[in-house]
Amino acid sequence: MAKAVTKSAGKPAAKPAAKATAKPATKMASKPAAGKAAAKAKAKPARKSALTISMLKPSVNNMTVRVFARAAGLDHAETDAWGHTRSPEYMARNPAHLTPMIEDKGLPRGVLWESCAIMQYLSNKHGLEKFYPKAPAKRAMIDSAMFYLIGTLYPYVARATYPALGFPQYAGEVGHSDAHPDRKSEAQKAAVAAIAEPLEVFHSFFRDGKPFIGGKNPSIADIRLAATLEFLAVIDYALPKWAKEYVAAMEKKLGKAYAGPAGDVRGYIAHVRSQAKA
């Protein structure tokens, strides 16, 4: 650079020399600067999200984890697993062929499925006490609400809604059946009638006058419950007033984190209903 300046400047006084060399110096500097920028860009490939969620948009189980990841502000990427859960690649990682499934380096087998287990794990890993308190008594109530939902409420909801949604299982069970359509219809009607009781348990026992199961803020149990209630729209189930207000409060509290995944479920339900009317 020094030689180029000397040659350009020649014999004139110092001030004109500075002017004469200003443009050439800038030109010569531009190439190395561009080279450094290119090298820097090459050295930093696109950052990969720390957490990957394989999911199905129409599913409330999947909606649960999608809402949670957004509400918790977790860095994550979503992969649509529609039509791929039985592929050799998916089965090699997840022999249960279920969604949602997360992939995370900290897991012993690299993957984890079951929506409640996923939320518990991520809450523990990232210290998300707002959603899953550490205090044993408070945590026990959250766990109890989730397990009661999985073991009692959701089976009723599945039996009531799966036939209307076109899912192949026998009235919401995990397997297929060649049972007579009349028996399936009876199972569906019985499930619809049974939903009211566990719903009231969530209202009177788990919420107990609070806005949410978690108190002033939604917990992972609230996210799971609200998502479950979304499915009942497909059978025009008459939710009690408190349940309608509860779902509305969840959406207001969580904002886009809830509205986005809920919109996918609602859109699918609207599509199913329009097909039934056609």
Side-chain angles (χ1 to χ4, degrees):
M1 183 69 77
K3 284 184 180 178
V5 171
T6 304
K7 199 170 182 180
S8 298
K11 292 181 182 179
K15 283 186 180 178
K19 283 185 181 179
T21 58
K23 286 186 180 179
T26 303
K27 276 188 179 179
M28 292 187 74
S30 65
K31 284 188 179 179
K36 281 182 182 179
K40 196 174 182 182
K42 194 173 182 181
K44 285 190 176 182
R47 185 177 60 79
K48 188 178 179 182
S49 295
L51 179 71
T52 300
I53 304 173
S54 294
M55 53 83 200
L56 303 176
K57 289 183 178 181
S59 163
V60 297
N61 300 314
N62 289 259
M63 174 186 160
T64 299
V65 173
R66 296 179 71 206
V67 168
F68 172 75
R70 286 164 168 76
L74 298 178
D75 177 25
H76 70 285
E78 292 181 349
T79 300
D80 195 337
W82 191 270
H84 301 292
T85 57
R86 295 276 184 172
S87 69
E89 295 79 14
Y90 195 91
M91 294 280 285
R93 293 175 297 159
N94 180 344
H97 53 80
L98 294 173
T99 60
M101 176 185 77
I102 64 166
E103 297 172 62
D104 191 66
K105 290 180 181 179
L107 294 163
R109 302 300 301 273
V111 301
L112 180 69
W113 59 87
E114 295 295 347
S115 62
C116 293
I118 289 171
M119 292 191 294
Q120 289 171 315
Y121 165 71
L122 292 174
S123 292
N124 289 333
K125 179 177 179 179
H126 298 286
L128 301 171
E129 291 189 59
K130 176 181 176 181
F131 295 100
Y132 194 41
K134 280 188 178 180
K138 290 182 178 179
R139 176 168 286 199
M141 292 302 287
I142 301 301
D143 288 339
S144 178
M146 288 196 302
F147 298 157
Y148 180 64
L149 189 152
I150 296 167
T152 301
L153 177 61
Y154 190 73
Y156 288 147
V157 172
R159 289 171 196 161
T161 61
Y162 277 22
L165 290 163
F167 293 172
Q169 287 83 0
Y170 165 53
E173 301 297 346
V174 295
H176 296 269
S177 171
D178 58 358
H180 191 277
D182 289 346
R183 298 303 299 271
K184 293 181 182 181
S185 179
E186 287 172 14
Q188 183 183 15
K189 289 175 183 175
V192 172
I195 288 172
E197 183 178 299
L199 269 188
E200 179 55 29
V201 172
F202 278 101
H203 175 51
S204 62
F205 182 80
F206 288 112
R207 287 180 69 219
D208 188 28
K210 305 184 299 293
F212 307 104
I213 297 168
K216 292 182 180 179
N217 295 302
S219 66
I220 58 177
D222 289 292
I223 294 173
R224 188 67 184 84
L225 175 58
T228 300
L229 296 179
E230 292 283 350
F231 249 8
L232 290 172
V234 77
I235 58 169
D236 285 326
Y237 185 85
L239 285 174
K241 184 173 179 286
W242 74 263
K244 292 178 183 177
E245 293 173 348
Y246 171 76
V247 172
M250 283 288 292
E251 186 161 1
K252 183 178 180 180
K253 191 76 174 179
L254 299 180
K256 291 181 180 179
Y258 186 93
D264 290 327
V265 170
R266 292 166 186 170
Y268 178 68
I269 289 174
H271 169 72
V272 168
R273 295 183 66 179
S274 67
Q275 293 296 105
K277 290 177 182 178

